[in-house]
Amino acid sequence: MRLFILAFACGIALLQVQGELPGAGVMGGLCALALPGFFLCAWRQHWVFRIVALVCCALLGFVWAGWFAQQRLADQLPEAWEAREIEIVGVIASLPQRFERGERFEFDVESVLTKGAQVPGRIMLSWYRSLEGSGESSESADTDEVLEARAVRPGERWRFTVRLKRPHGNANPHAFDYEAWLLERNIRATGSIRLRAEVQRLDAFVPRPAYLVERLRDAIRSRFLTALPDAPYLGVLIALTVGDQRAIPNMQWQVFNRTGITHLVSISGLHVTMVAALFAALINGLWRRSERLMLRLPAQKAAVVAAWLAAFAYALLAGFEVPAQRTLYMLSVVALALWSGRNLGVSRTLLLALLVVLVLDPWAVLATGFWLSFGAVALLLFVGTSRVGEVRGWRATLAQWGATQWAVTVGSLPLLLLFFQQFSLVSPLSNALAIPYVSFIITPLALIFAVLPWPPLLQFDHWLLSLLMKLLEWLADWPLWQQAAPPLWVSLLAVAGVLWLLLPRGFPARWLGLCLLMPALSWPPPRPAPGEAWVDVLDVGQGLAVLVRTAGHALLYDSGPLYSADSNAGQRVVVPYLRATGVEQLDTLVVSHRDKDHAGGVSAVQAYLPVARLLSSMIELGGERCSAGQSWEWDGVRFSILHPVLADYQIDSKKSNNMSCVLRVGTAASSVLLTADIEADDERALLVRSPSLLRSELLQVPHHGGSRSSTTDFIAAVGAHEVVFSAGYRNSFNHPRPDVLERYAASRQWRTDRDGAIRIVLAGSTEVSAWRSERRRYWYGQ
């Protein structure tokens, strides 16, 4: 049975890496072939029949995931209805997530009032407090007009006028796939509420179980916010209670990441198990005090029921995320086994939980938490089985604790390096201290307050948490292991090495496991050859960030936009990409101008890695002023600044766009011109000053394709065969403009909003590729 479950899981994982979904006929044929094949061969003992049964089981997993995907993708927003006003009626379906300019929530659409419009059943809406960021043009708005969003609560029925777009996220290598996350949560469109249109709350509450749970979560969160409105670590207590992590500041997330205890901040399987164990012990002790109850039902079975009910309630309260699901399903299998008196074994229990998770949610294999969660439990079971029958006592307990910490530390290395390219060197110590402290003190007290809202209890809990945070903040200053992302085959080799290394004591040549692990810890990042350059135009939305690498140097041109007060492209896109590609230092950081869509991530980049040289037109940043005539050469690649001139800094009326640093990167065979947001006047100045230097095979189109740039004379002077537009999907500026696209009709056009990150290889022959094409997934554009 265990091999069949693993084969079924492999089939599901195979479906999730397909670029296109197989048709209904293909899926039906595979099912008709695999289903009888499995039942005919599964119970035959010959190895040939066993292999056929495993293949059939994998095909069934493939078909199961494909059927789910077809059903979900069929519920979509037609492209013709994107960015159009649609009036809808529905219910607030999730805990509203508040941010600096409003709040965001999932919305179940019950009816569409706009004639002819088609809207998916579940969407995500943002309700902004002001016109900025709402998708409405701020140019036509009164400058003193501020429209306040009314607070919404789960389960309320509302009528809204909305503007929607199909699921879309930034597409970059080694980055979070937002579109896959939306698909897993069955959110088939995102959008915003029109501030000028009439909104109306129709019902205070729609009585459905799911909405009741969300309303309860909202009430508990409000209870915490009322009791400790300004407490610095209140967001952690809320996250441990109801799973809402949005209130945790970025600085605290950095502390958790650097100390390796991020898993403790979410409601993990450890917390669910702890709650179940506490309730089991409580009911078991009370049940044994009643002879009548003992005669009706043994105390052990009563404790099993209580533990499962407690785990189920806590998992619902946590938002039913994958770690909580996995633990609940494992506890369910254990509870059924104990109730029936059967012992299924630890490996069978874990795999049955895996089967339930994937049957209910085939997209779980796309989540990093899925692999870390099941991997950690499987690793602990693998290590724990070798210690069965050891002598009890404090020495054995201490030895088991040490073995567990060693197993988790070493065993998590391959996945952490593959997914995050970093590993906290202090994580064994921080986890050893934080796990019992958070699981057995902080979390229980927070849950007690959720049931019995006595403010001094929460204040005491927050004080205890602050003691831990001070220790973690000190540990966060210790070194952090970071390196380039290893290839998949190297990570799989490291997994094999971990298993070999953690074999029981006395097994010969366990040191060979370390040899298999070492390539993942020392894998060198790929680099261009001397005389070549790699130029990566990252997909940062409505903004610009370009990484240029030569054989031994790296340059970052702009750092992407500022998304909000707590979020920017530097921390969300640029820094993860620098880490994954093995860039440990920027030899030059060029910040073209002060617009927040180009300079929004500078602080995050500077905080992450050393910058040897800073070039910018922003005097307040320090460093050097970029000016025409500056040039240098790295590894046979020439870098030249073409704009602005020093005299431009003396003109107060110069707009920020007109001060954009223009950079040309050239090899012996090709070149690329990076222009930021220069406008028509700047293009004409460049044509007068240095027309010969403008000639380039590739061009980053000025101002994201805005109509005030890209004059015909400039386009002709550059003569680019390939042009790149860096713009946000369905951005409010309508960049790139249709008339600008027409001007570049003779060139091959690349767009980050359509193609994702763009890789340009300047070598003997210039090569351009797009991430969405190289890593095609069936949900892209759906």
Side-chain angles (χ1 to χ4, degrees):
M1 181 183 73
R2 285 167 285 199
L3 289 178
F4 292 149
I5 293 176
L6 290 175
F8 185 83
C10 289
I12 287 178
L14 180 62
L15 189 279
Q16 306 305 350
V17 297
Q18 299 301 305
E20 299 289 341
L21 275 181
V26 174
M27 301 291 285
L30 290 176
C31 184
L33 179 67
L35 199 58
F38 173 74
F39 284 106
L40 288 174
C41 301
W43 289 274
R44 304 284 185 94
Q45 297 302 317
H46 195 277
W47 65 270
V48 174
F49 291 106
R50 303 287 288 180
I51 292 177
V52 171
L54 289 173
V55 172
C56 290
C57 208
L59 289 176
L60 288 175
F62 187 87
V63 171
W64 179 261
W67 178 80
F68 259 73
Q70 287 176 343
Q71 298 299 312
R72 191 153 291 183
L73 293 182
D75 184 26
Q76 64 178 340
L77 177 72
E79 191 173 355
W81 281 97
E82 285 190 288
R84 295 174 62 179
E85 291 193 2
I86 306 173
E87 190 174 7
I88 58 177
V89 173
V91 182
I92 312 296
S94 70
L95 188 68
Q97 304 293 335
R98 296 177 177 87
F99 54 95
E100 60 171 344
R101 290 179 289 120
E103 53 190 345
R104 185 174 293 113
F105 48 84
E106 296 176 23
F107 192 72
D108 284 343
V109 178
E110 294 179 320
S111 60
V112 180
L113 304 183
T114 302
K115 186 177 180 180
Q118 300 178 35
V119 178
R122 173 163 286 206
I123 60 179
M124 180 178 288
L125 294 177
S126 298
W127 196 349
Y128 295 91
R129 296 190 183 97
S130 65
L131 291 172
E132 180 186 359
S134 66
E136 300 190 30
S137 174
S138 59
E139 297 176 0
S140 61
D142 297 332
T143 57
D144 59 345
E145 181 178 14
V146 177
L147 301 177
E148 293 293 333
R150 294 178 59 181
V152 296
R153 301 186 66 191
E156 293 178 339
R157 178 178 282 122
W158 285 80
R159 184 178 69 188
F160 294 131
T161 299
V162 300
R163 275 187 176 176
L164 301 175
K165 62 182 180 181
R166 293 149 78 94
H168 190 88
N170 298 335
N172 297 284
H174 314 290
F176 174 67
D177 193 334
Y178 181 63
E179 293 173 47
W181 182 83
L182 290 175
L183 181 65
E184 181 185 11
R185 299 182 68 89
N186 196 23
I187 299 171
R188 304 299 301 125
T190 63
S192 60
I193 297 167
R194 299 290 286 167
L195 298 181
R196 295 186 179 278
E198 179 184 359
V199 298
Q200 182 181 5
R201 189 179 70 176
L202 303 177
D203 292 297
F205 184 69
V206 177
R208 294 178 191 167
Y211 302 152
L212 182 62
V213 171
E214 294 301 314
R215 178 65 70 91
L216 177 61
R217 297 178 69 206
D218 182 67
I220 292 174
R221 183 179 65 177
S222 299
R223 190 176 295 168
F224 276 77
L225 293 171
T226 302
L228 288 177
D230 300 319
Y233 307 118
L234 180 63
V236 178
L237 297 178
I238 293 176
L240 291 172
T241 307
V242 297
D244 178 19
Q245 302 175 2
R246 296 296 181 92
I248 302 177
N250 283 325
M251 290 298 295
Q252 293 178 20
W253 278 120
Q254 293 177 18
V255 170
F256 299 144
N257 288 331
R258 294 187 64 86
T259 54
I261 66 162
T262 306
H263 63 97
L264 277 180
V265 183
S266 62
I267 299 182
S268 65
L270 180 64
H271 297 145
V272 177
T273 304
M274 177 270 300
V275 170
L278 289 177
F279 270 83
L282 177 63
I283 297 301
N284 186 62
L286 295 176
W287 203 270
R288 292 178 182 275
R289 294 179 177 274
S290 173
E291 182 178 351
R292 180 179 300 178
L293 292 176
M294 287 288 291
L295 291 174
R296 287 179 176 271
L297 186 69
Q300 184 184 31
K301 290 189 175 183
V304 166
V305 174
W308 186 88
L309 290 175
F312 178 70
Y314 190 33
L316 287 179
L317 196 64
F320 218 58
E321 299 295 337
V322 169
Q325 288 182 38
R326 184 261 305 161
T327 305
L328 179 64
Y329 299 146
M330 285 187 64
L331 291 175
S332 299
V333 174
V334 172
L336 289 174
L338 291 174
W339 188 272
S340 63
R342 299 180 60 185
N343 183 11
L344 297 178
V346 290
S347 62
R348 190 177 283 109
T349 299
L350 179 63
L351 289 175
L352 284 173
L354 172 69
L355 177 64
V356 175
V357 169
L358 293 181
V359 166
L360 297 178
D361 180 13
W363 294 279
V365 295
L366 300 175
T368 302
F370 169 87
W371 297 98
L372 292 175
S373 176
F374 275 97
V377 175
L379 195 67
L380 291 175
L381 294 177
F382 176 75
V383 175
T385 52
S386 65
R387 308 185 69 85
V388 174
E390 292 189 358
V391 179
R392 295 186 178 182
W394 69 270
R395 289 187 179 85
T397 302
L398 185 62
Q400 188 171 3
W401 174 84
T404 300
Q405 292 300 316
W406 166 251
V408 172
T409 301
V410 176
S412 61
L413 270 175
L415 292 180
L416 291 176
L417 293 177
L418 178 64
F419 293 134
F420 305 112
Q421 299 84 52
Q422 63 181 12
F423 176 74
S424 172
L425 296 177
V426 298
S427 64
L429 175 60
S430 56
N431 275 280
L433 298 173
I435 286 177
Y437 194 79
V438 172
S439 297
F440 296 104
I441 300 176
I442 303 297
T443 302
L445 289 176
L447 291 174
I448 292 173
F449 174 80
V451 179
L452 302 173
W454 186 44
L457 176 63
L458 188 63
Q459 294 169 5
F460 177 65
D461 197 21
H462 185 272
W463 178 76
L464 292 175
L465 178 60
S466 66
L467 298 179
L468 175 65
M469 290 300 299
K470 290 177 181 178
L471 175 62
L472 294 177
E473 288 166 1
W474 176 69
L475 290 175
D477 293 331
W478 290 28
L480 187 71
W481 182 282
Q482 298 184 120
Q483 65 171 68
L488 179 60
W489 70 268
V490 173
S491 299
L492 295 176
L493 192 68
V495 171
V498 166
L499 296 178
W500 190 276
L501 193 62
L502 297 178
L503 285 169
R505 190 179 355 179
F507 198 92
R510 285 195 301 166
W511 57 270
L512 289 175
L514 189 61
C515 298
L516 298 177
L517 183 61
M518 286 306 297
L521 295 171
S522 57
W523 190 260
R527 302 290 297 189
E532 299 180 358
W534 293 350
V535 182
D536 296 320
V537 183
L538 300 180
D539 181 10
V540 293
Q542 186 64 18
L544 181 66
V546 183
L547 176 64
V548 183
R549 285 174 288 167
T550 65
H553 297 80
L555 175 146
L556 181 66
Y557 183 86
D558 283 340
S559 57
L562 180 72
Y563 300 130
S564 67
D566 295 324
S567 176
N568 59 70
Q571 64 184 210
R572 287 175 50 182
V573 178
V574 179
V575 166
Y577 189 74
L578 293 174
R579 182 168 58 240
T581 52
V583 176
E584 299 178 350
Q585 172 181 301
L586 287 177
D587 298 282
T588 299
L589 171 60
V590 179
V591 184
S592 63
H593 60 300
R594 66 169 46 90
D595 285 3
K596 64 181 182 180
D597 57 334
H598 292 252
V602 168
S603 59
V605 172
Q606 290 178 316
Y608 167 67
L609 79 176
V611 177
R613 183 188 187 192
L614 175 62
L615 280 174
S616 175
S617 63
M618 299 173 61
I619 300 175
E620 61 270 25
L621 273 184
E624 303 176 47
R625 296 182 183 182
C626 61
S627 62
Q630 292 172 323
S631 64
W632 64 94
E633 186 172 313
W634 291 337
D635 310 310
V637 180
R638 189 73 175 173
F639 294 79
S640 304
I641 299 290
L642 308 184
H643 184 80
V645 295
L646 284 176
D648 290 335
Y649 289 94
Q650 309 302 321
I651 304 175
D652 294 336
S653 61
K654 280 282 187 180
K655 295 191 302 182
S656 175
N657 286 350
N658 302 135
M659 298 299 294
S660 296
C661 304
V662 176
L663 175 67
R664 185 180 188 270
V665 182
T667 65
S670 186
S671 62
V672 60
L673 188 64
L674 304 176
T675 61
D677 280 354
I678 59 171
E679 298 183 354
D681 290 342
D682 311 304
E683 294 174 357
R684 284 188 283 268
L686 282 167
L687 289 171
V688 172
R689 190 167 57 243
S690 50
S692 61
L693 292 178
L694 293 179
R695 198 74 182 176
S696 298
E697 284 71 22
L698 298 106
L699 170 68
Q700 172 257 312
V701 176
H703 205 185
H704 319 288
S707 57
R708 291 181 294 183
S709 305
S710 297
T711 59
T712 54
D713 291 341
F714 178 78
I715 295 173
V718 176
H721 302 296
E722 315 266 358
V723 295
V724 178
F725 297 88
S726 180
Y729 181 74
R730 294 281 179 178
N731 63 85
S732 59
F733 306 100
N734 196 26
H735 290 162
R737 296 278 185 172
D739 58 322
V740 176
L741 292 173
E742 283 293 325
R743 296 177 207 170
Y744 289 100
S747 305
R748 185 161 64 157
Q749 300 176 4
W750 303 85
R751 298 174 51 165
T752 57
D753 60 340
R754 180 193 63 201
D755 304 315
I758 309 297
R759 161 66 63 86
I760 302 167
V761 177
L762 302 180
S765 60
T766 303
E767 301 176 3
V768 185
S769 58
W771 177 245
R772 286 186 183 268
S773 298
E774 286 190 344
R775 184 190 173 275
R776 177 67 188 167
R777 294 294 183 263
Y778 66 82
W779 54 82
Y780 284 167
Q782 302 295 319

